Amino acid sequence: MWLVTLADLSLLLVGFFVLLQANRDLDPRRLAEGLAAGFGVTAPAMPVAGNAIDGFAPGRADLPYSPAALAAWAGAELRDPRVRLTVTGVADTVPGHGDVDAASGSGAVLAADRARTLVAALARAGVPDARIDIAAALRPGRRAVIVTLAFAGDPSVASQGKRP
């Protein structure tokens, strides 16, 4: 029985190396486009870096400390026209933690407010907001804003209606 399992693993390993060798000269962009087309979706931006602000008070969207270092990082990264930032506000979903918006009782609204507060602070610091997306997320035990930098491709190709 173990011999059959060993043979299966060996064939799987050989198949993997054949796949690697066959795709060695493929353009990664064309490969991503082909995979996206095969599944009927557009290729998403590829996240490459991130930053965060943790320590929000329960039920509050006020920044717990100055985002100056994050603003400097974001401004430097956005000099490259091929990147986008996604600012995701996060609210704690653990019952009893009181991490909800006071007016609506919604954690999602509070998470969006946290993201919006950081984007406004970044804009005041001179970070251009034309390539910043805002999102909200609910996570147990987490009260934060997460900033993700993603490679979105060449903007001149996207403006022509083509995917990079």
Side-chain angles (χ1 to χ4, degrees):
M1 188 64 167
W2 65 269
L3 190 57
V4 172
T5 304
L6 180 63
D8 288 342
L9 287 175
S10 299
L11 287 174
L12 186 61
L13 186 61
V14 167
F16 175 72
F17 285 124
V18 167
L19 180 68
L20 285 179
Q21 186 66 22
N23 292 323
R24 177 178 60 154
D25 297 326
L26 283 180
D27 178 19
R29 185 174 297 182
R30 289 189 58 211
L31 180 61
E33 287 174 354
L35 289 171
F39 287 103
V41 297
T42 58
M46 179 179 62
V48 293
N51 213 323
I53 291 182
D54 285 304
F56 283 84
R60 304 290 305 215
D62 304 329
L63 294 174
Y65 52 88
S66 170
L70 194 146
W73 171 78
E77 295 296 342
L78 283 176
R79 286 189 198 123
D80 185 344
R82 301 171 299 168
V83 300
R84 292 191 67 82
L85 292 180
T86 300
V87 177
T88 305
V90 182
D92 186 358
T93 59
V94 175
H97 281 192
D99 202 31
V100 295
D101 177 62
S104 67
S106 170
V109 170
L110 177 62
D113 284 347
R114 287 176 177 160
R116 190 181 58 76
T117 300
L118 180 61
V119 170
L122 292 176
R124 284 191 302 274
V127 177
D129 62 356
R131 288 182 284 132
I132 297 177
D133 299 317
I134 295 177
L138 302 172
R139 302 281 184 270
R142 186 95 194 256
R143 296 186 310 269
V145 175
I146 302 167
V147 182
T148 307
L149 176 113
F151 177 75
D154 187 358
S156 63
V157 173
S159 67
Q160 297 170 4
K162 301 176 184 174
R163 295 294 303 175

